[in-house]
Amino acid sequence: MSRFACPVWAIAPVNAPMISAVLAFADIHRDLGAGRTLMRISHERAARADVILLLGRDAERVVDLGVVWNDREDQIIRVIDDAERRDSRLAAWEDAYDLFESEAHQPVDHRLVA
């Protein structure tokens, strides 16, 4: 594989235990109006032992999920997956751009000359 080729990122698919964990352990609740609530798990909550014991390696992945809950009907409206928006996924691209920077690069004097 070339150093410039983007590696294939393996993102674990959303499964039922992840959604159940968001419903049970959500500590971020955002009112969306019309009886709907967006529920998420924060990074601090996902780092606790009970979430890690329940989900194992998916504990880090569960912070990417959001569940829109209908309070009137007591049912899930939508599951939102923000895995592709996570900043850490761009680390490979940042490493590729760092190849063009040299450690021996001398600072250039940018004075205006008339």
Side-chain angles (χ1 to χ4, degrees):
M1 176 189 264
S2 170
R3 290 183 72 168
F4 295 106
C6 181
V8 178
W9 291 314
I11 299 173
V14 177
N15 54 31
M18 287 183 193
I19 297 170
S20 297
V22 172
L23 292 174
F25 299 114
D27 58 343
I28 300 171
H29 298 273
R30 185 170 299 143
D31 184 24
L32 301 177
R36 297 178 180 178
T37 305
L38 175 66
M39 300 191 310
R40 290 186 178 272
I41 295 180
S42 66
H43 292 280
E44 293 82 19
R45 181 69 174 117
R48 291 192 182 168
D50 54 352
V51 177
I52 293 172
L53 287 173
L54 178 69
L55 295 175
R57 65 184 181 128
D58 290 333
E60 181 182 350
R61 173 81 169 88
V62 78
V63 297
D64 296 330
L65 298 182
V67 175
V68 178
W69 180 259
N70 187 341
D71 295 324
R72 295 179 187 163
E73 301 292 328
D74 287 333
Q75 64 183 5
I76 296 173
I77 303 276
R78 176 175 292 159
V79 176
I80 302 168
D81 186 6
D82 291 336
E84 300 209 4
R85 302 179 89 192
R86 185 190 290 185
D87 293 336
S88 65
R89 305 275 188 240
L90 300 176
W93 287 106
E94 292 171 357
D95 292 340
Y97 285 116
D98 288 342
L99 294 174
F100 299 108
E101 295 180 7
S102 172
E103 294 176 0
H105 186 304
Q106 298 296 328
V108 179
D109 190 13
H110 293 290
R111 286 185 269 174
L112 293 175
V113 179

